[in-house]
Amino acid sequence: MSDMRVDQILRLLFASRRIAGGMADPCARQPCEECFARHRPKVEHFVRQGMPVHFVLPAFPAKSPNRHKVLGTLPDLAERLSLEFLQSFCDYVRHSYEPGARITICSDGHVFSDLVGVPDPDVTAYRSELELLLEAIGSDSITTFGLGDAFPGSDHTRQRAELTGRYALSLDTIRERAATDSAARAVFGGIHRFMFEDRVVLGGGRSRTKVREECKPLAYQVIQRSDAWSSLVEDYFPDALRLSIHPQAAHSHKIGVHMMRTRDNWLTPWHGVALDEGDSVRLVKREEAEGLGATVVVRHGRPSHYIAPRTVPTSRLLLQEATR
C-alpha cells in the first residue's frame, strides 16, 4: 500500500500544475489515478529512505531580450516571487513529511543563449543575481546547476558543443517528432512564438512573415539543445522528479508547474513582469502592464515590478475594516 504522505506531496504539487490542455483537461481539476501512478515510485524512493524528495527544474535561463516583455536583463520581483513559491512548496512538503523537499534549478541560459539573442555575460549576471535572491529569501531548499557545472574549465561555445555532441538528437529527428507528435508540436509552437515575439521587435525593417520564417530553424535548434540539456540533467540526477516550466500532458513524465498566477499558460517570469493588482500579483508582459496604465516600481535603483492603476492593497482594506 502506498504511503499516504506520497500522495499528499503529489497532490500539493498538482495544485500548481501547468497542463497542456489547460482547465479543459479533467485532470487539471481533479488528478486521476494515472496522474499519481506516473510519479509515485520516485516519491516513494525518497520517502522510504527518509530523504528530502528531490525535484529538478530546468528554468531561470535569462531575461528575454524583448523589452516589450520585460523590465531589464536582471531578475526582478517576478523571479523573487517565483523562488519564494518554490521554497514555500518545499516548506509545505515538510509539513506532512518531515525531511521535506529540495529543488535543483538547472539554469539553462548558456545552453541556447546564442540562439535567442542573449549575450553570455548577461546570462552569467542573471544567475549571479538569482543566487543573491535565494540568499535574500532565506532559501534552504533550493540550489542551482548550470552548463559550467557540467562542463567546467571551458568557454560557453565549447560547452554547448560538448552538450550537443554527447546528448543531442539530430535536427531531422526533432522536426519529424514535431510533425507527428501533438505534444512535441505544441512545444515547438510555444518556443517558435516566444522567439518570434522577441525578434520581431528587432526586425530591422524585415517583414513579420520573414522574421517568422527565420525563427523556425532556430526554434528547432532551441528544442534540440533543450532536450539535450534534459538528457544531461537526467544523467546527473537520475532519481529526481522532473519539473518543467512548459505546459505538459497530464500523464507526462514531466510535471509542468506555474510559479505565479498568469492568464498565459506559456508565460514565464523571464518573459514577463510582476503586476501588483492589490489583492494578488499577476505575471504579464511589460506592454500589457503599461497598456493598463500601471506604474513601475523601483527597488535598489532598478525597476522591480508594476502597480496596477487604482489599486488598493488588500492589507490596507483589512486595516480600514478593523479600525471602523
Side-chain angles (χ1 to χ4, degrees):
M1 181 180 293
S2 177
D3 190 318
M4 285 181 58
R5 295 173 297 177
V6 171
D7 282 5
Q8 288 174 342
I9 292 167
L10 289 172
R11 195 171 289 110
L12 179 64
L13 180 61
F14 290 168
S16 300
R17 269 203 302 182
R18 193 187 293 241
I19 291 185
M23 293 308 294
D25 190 321
C27 291
R29 297 186 296 273
Q30 181 62 48
C32 72
E33 173 56 28
E34 189 174 349
C35 291
F36 289 96
R38 173 68 98 166
H39 306 288
R40 261 196 207 108
K42 287 198 169 186
V43 180
E44 288 172 342
H45 165 78
F46 293 104
V47 171
R48 279 197 304 268
Q49 298 183 63
M51 298 170 57
V53 181
H54 187 198
F55 298 87
V56 294
L57 175 62
F60 297 93
K63 281 292 192 184
S64 164
N66 184 346
R67 294 300 172 260
H68 292 276
K69 292 182 176 181
V70 298
L71 282 164
T73 61
L74 296 174
D76 50 40
L77 185 64
E79 276 84 0
R80 183 182 183 116
L81 292 178
S82 298
L83 293 175
E84 288 181 344
F85 165 81
L86 294 175
Q87 178 60 46
S88 293
F89 167 73
C90 295
D91 296 337
Y92 276 109
V93 170
R94 193 176 291 124
H95 177 71
S96 57
Y97 172 62
E98 195 279 330
R102 64 188 180 97
I103 297 172
T104 301
I105 294 174
C106 298
S107 184
D108 47 6
H110 287 301
V111 171
F112 38 69
S113 54
D114 59 320
L115 298 175
V116 299
V118 178
D120 280 315
D122 285 359
V123 176
T124 300
Y126 180 90
R127 182 177 174 187
S128 295
E129 288 290 321
L130 209 65
E131 299 280 1
L132 292 176
L133 274 180
L134 288 171
E135 288 183 26
I137 68 173
S139 174
D140 62 356
S141 303
I142 304 172
T143 55
T144 63
F145 176 85
L147 192 61
D149 298 306
F151 302 111
S154 59
D155 63 41
H156 302 306
T157 300
R158 185 169 298 178
Q159 289 167 357
R160 287 187 281 266
E162 289 192 59
L163 173 69
T164 53
R166 296 189 192 185
Y167 291 98
L169 299 173
S170 70
L171 285 171
D172 285 342
T173 300
I174 301 294
R175 292 190 192 94
E176 175 65 20
R177 192 171 62 186
T180 58
D181 180 81
S182 60
R185 187 160 55 250
V187 170
F188 170 78
I191 298 297
H192 182 243
R193 175 167 68 91
F194 277 140
M195 298 195 72
F196 170 72
E197 290 173 347
D198 288 354
R199 285 178 174 262
V200 74
V201 297
L202 306 172
R206 291 169 296 168
S207 69
R208 293 172 63 87
T209 300
K210 178 69 173 175
V211 174
R212 196 183 300 275
E213 286 302 313
E214 289 174 353
C215 287
K216 284 184 179 179
L218 293 174
Y220 285 122
Q221 289 180 70
V222 167
I223 293 170
Q224 179 193 44
R225 290 196 201 166
S226 180
D227 286 354
W229 182 240
S230 292
S231 296
L232 181 148
V233 167
E234 288 178 9
D235 267 5
Y236 271 75
F237 309 106
D239 297 325
L241 284 89
R242 171 63 190 275
L243 304 180
S244 173
I245 49 84
H246 294 142
Q248 299 293 324
H251 304 143
S252 169
H253 74 284
K254 302 177 185 178
I255 305 169
V257 291
H258 277 294
M259 297 178 288
M260 287 184 67
R261 189 171 69 92
T262 180
R263 295 171 185 168
D264 185 335
N265 206 26
W266 280 87
L267 196 59
T268 68
W270 44 95
H271 281 95
V273 298
L275 176 66
D276 183 349
E277 297 180 304
D279 58 346
S280 63
V281 180
R282 183 162 59 96
L283 185 66
V284 301
K285 294 173 184 175
R286 177 181 180 174
E287 60 185 0
E288 180 181 344
E290 293 181 345
L292 292 170
T295 303
V296 68
V297 175
V298 176
R299 298 272 176 87
H300 303 292
R302 295 206 310 258
S304 167
H305 62 286
Y306 283 89
I307 294 178
R310 296 180 296 281
T311 291
V312 179
T314 302
S315 58
R316 188 178 303 163
L317 291 172
L318 294 175
L319 180 61
Q320 290 171 353
E321 282 293 320
T323 54
R324 283 178 182 173

